[in-house]
Amino acid sequence: MPDDTAYRPPFWYRGRHLQTLWGPLLRHWRRPPLRRERLETPDGDFVDLDWLADAPESGPLILILHGLEGSSRSHYARGLLRGAGRFGCRPAVMHFRSCSGEVNRLPRLYHSGETGDLEWVLEQLRKREGDPRIGLIGISLGGNVVLKWLGEQGDAAPGAVAGAVAISTPFDLAACAAVLDRGFNRAVYTGSFLRTMKAKVRAKTHLYDGRIDVPAVLRSRTFAEYDRRFTAPLNGFADERDYWSRASSGPYLERIRRPTLLINAANDPFLPGVHLPVAAVARSRWLEAAFVEQGGHVGFLDGPLGGSSWAERRALAFLRRLLLP
């Protein structure tokens, strides 16, 4: 399928939930060879990068930001790493704190609006690599972080950053919580996310010293409860709604000043299609949208057995035009 066509799923790959679940459950990739780099942060913590080990020794960089509770092991990360390496770029997955397989040292974890680590990592790469050409790809929560950071930077975004792609972004976190905290979504998606998120909180109980009601956090059954009891108080938000409002990337889109591609499906079970930022895209010359009817959440798979991804090809084709002559 050509990279610039609208997405058309295989005949058997239909429905928002099948399109969302097929990748993580059944898209089995052999893990590409990776090289881990640990960056020690100024606050005494660390951020881990997983680089494609057999990538070219020189060339543009592509920094991939994974989704909620994802990592370099996620099916989309493996696909993007392989694809970026094939066309001559040096890709790496930047892990949010506690997502690389080791719980981080400090009380803080990560959240949908935390952009400081991305900014710091980009600065380290720019200093070390001699201001290289850099493309960003954010998936789901990672897409929200990329877009919010670009909007925060506006015209001051580093010249090294040539452009970005965001896939299945939760532009409106309140709208996402509203649909994820009920019915099938709550039982299947929210329950799965909260299991691993609460395990990390449990492992760090000794760091909270009464500032967080850990037993209440561990009883959380919805994102609203978890964000009210943990994300908001730990990160200085008044409550979960203050967090959702201030961390959502939607209000930042029109401040972006780098070529940016937004890929989302109208049938995404995490974000109702009515919340896609169609108007913001229409008002900005920097934003390009591939808002398609089908694809689910980080789905967009194609090929006979759903082994390849239209969204990954589309993302890499977009960045290739910006990064390579």
Side-chain angles (χ1 to χ4, degrees):
M1 181 184 294
D3 295 323
D4 57 354
T5 61
Y7 174 63
R8 296 180 180 85
F11 74 91
W12 55 268
Y13 183 63
R14 300 286 175 168
R16 64 183 61 201
H17 298 302
L18 177 62
Q19 290 173 349
T20 299
L21 294 168
W22 185 271
L25 294 179
L26 296 169
R27 190 188 181 200
H28 298 301
W29 289 79
R30 183 175 59 84
R31 193 179 186 190
L34 300 176
R35 172 179 59 84
R36 173 150 296 183
E37 177 183 15
R38 174 158 292 184
L39 300 177
E40 297 286 336
T41 59
D43 61 359
D45 214 335
F46 62 90
V47 172
D48 286 334
L49 304 181
D50 277 356
W51 294 87
L52 183 68
D54 56 5
E57 294 184 3
S58 61
L61 305 179
I62 290 182
L63 191 63
I64 301 162
L65 278 69
H66 59 78
L68 182 65
E69 295 297 275
S71 70
S72 63
R73 301 180 67 89
S74 300
H75 72 95
Y76 53 79
R78 297 183 185 194
L80 288 166
L81 286 165
R82 290 185 185 279
R86 279 196 295 268
F87 73 73
C89 285
R90 294 178 288 158
V93 172
M94 174 188 142
H95 290 95
F96 296 116
R97 300 194 191 202
S98 82
C99 290
S100 64
E102 180 178 339
V103 175
N104 65 309
R105 301 170 188 146
L106 298 183
R108 62 176 287 193
L109 289 168
Y110 68 103
H111 64 76
S112 297
E114 204 294 302
T115 58
D117 281 347
L118 171 59
E119 182 170 356
W120 181 79
V121 167
L122 286 171
E123 181 62 22
Q124 304 315 300
L125 294 177
R126 289 168 56 210
K127 289 178 180 177
R128 185 178 74 190
E129 303 287 338
D131 223 24
R133 299 284 282 173
I134 302 174
L136 302 175
I137 302 178
I139 298 88
S140 192
L141 179 146
N144 194 77
V145 171
V146 166
L147 296 176
K148 182 172 178 282
W149 178 77
L150 284 170
E152 290 169 345
Q153 297 295 307
D155 290 318
V161 177
V165 180
I167 300 173
S168 294
T169 302
F171 302 102
D172 183 330
L173 295 174
C176 291
V179 296
L180 284 169
D181 280 353
R182 63 175 187 258
F184 179 89
N185 286 357
R186 172 175 158 179
V188 175
Y189 304 120
T190 302
S192 177
F193 286 132
L194 287 179
R195 274 193 294 276
T196 57
M197 292 162 68
K198 289 190 287 188
K200 293 171 184 176
V201 174
R202 188 181 295 109
K204 293 156 67 82
T205 300
H206 62 287
L207 297 176
Y208 298 125
D209 193 27
R211 291 176 295 165
I212 298 292
D213 186 349
V214 173
V217 173
L218 299 181
R219 290 194 300 270
S220 299
R221 298 180 61 199
T222 64
F223 280 118
E225 292 173 346
Y226 179 88
D227 288 336
R228 183 185 314 127
R229 296 165 176 171
F230 183 76
T231 310
L234 188 65
N235 295 285
F237 299 104
D239 55 25
E240 74 276 17
R241 294 202 167 273
D242 181 46
Y243 160 56
W244 295 338
S245 175
R246 291 166 58 188
S248 293
S249 61
Y252 291 86
L253 294 178
E254 292 183 57
R255 306 180 201 173
I256 291 173
R257 295 296 181 267
R258 291 292 182 273
T260 301
L261 173 64
L262 312 178
I263 300 175
N264 273 73
N267 74 338
D268 189 330
F270 292 17
L271 180 73
V274 68
H275 294 286
L276 292 176
V278 176
V281 172
R283 290 191 293 262
S284 173
R285 70 183 182 90
W286 298 99
L287 302 177
E288 177 180 336
F291 294 156
V292 296
E293 290 300 317
Q294 301 288 316
H297 187 76
V298 198
F300 309 102
L301 302 180
D302 56 19
L305 297 176
S308 58
S309 166
W310 169 83
E312 291 164 19
R313 292 197 307 276
R314 185 81 169 78
L316 292 171
F318 181 83
L319 289 183
R320 183 174 187 173
R321 291 192 292 270
L322 298 172
L323 295 172
L324 295 176

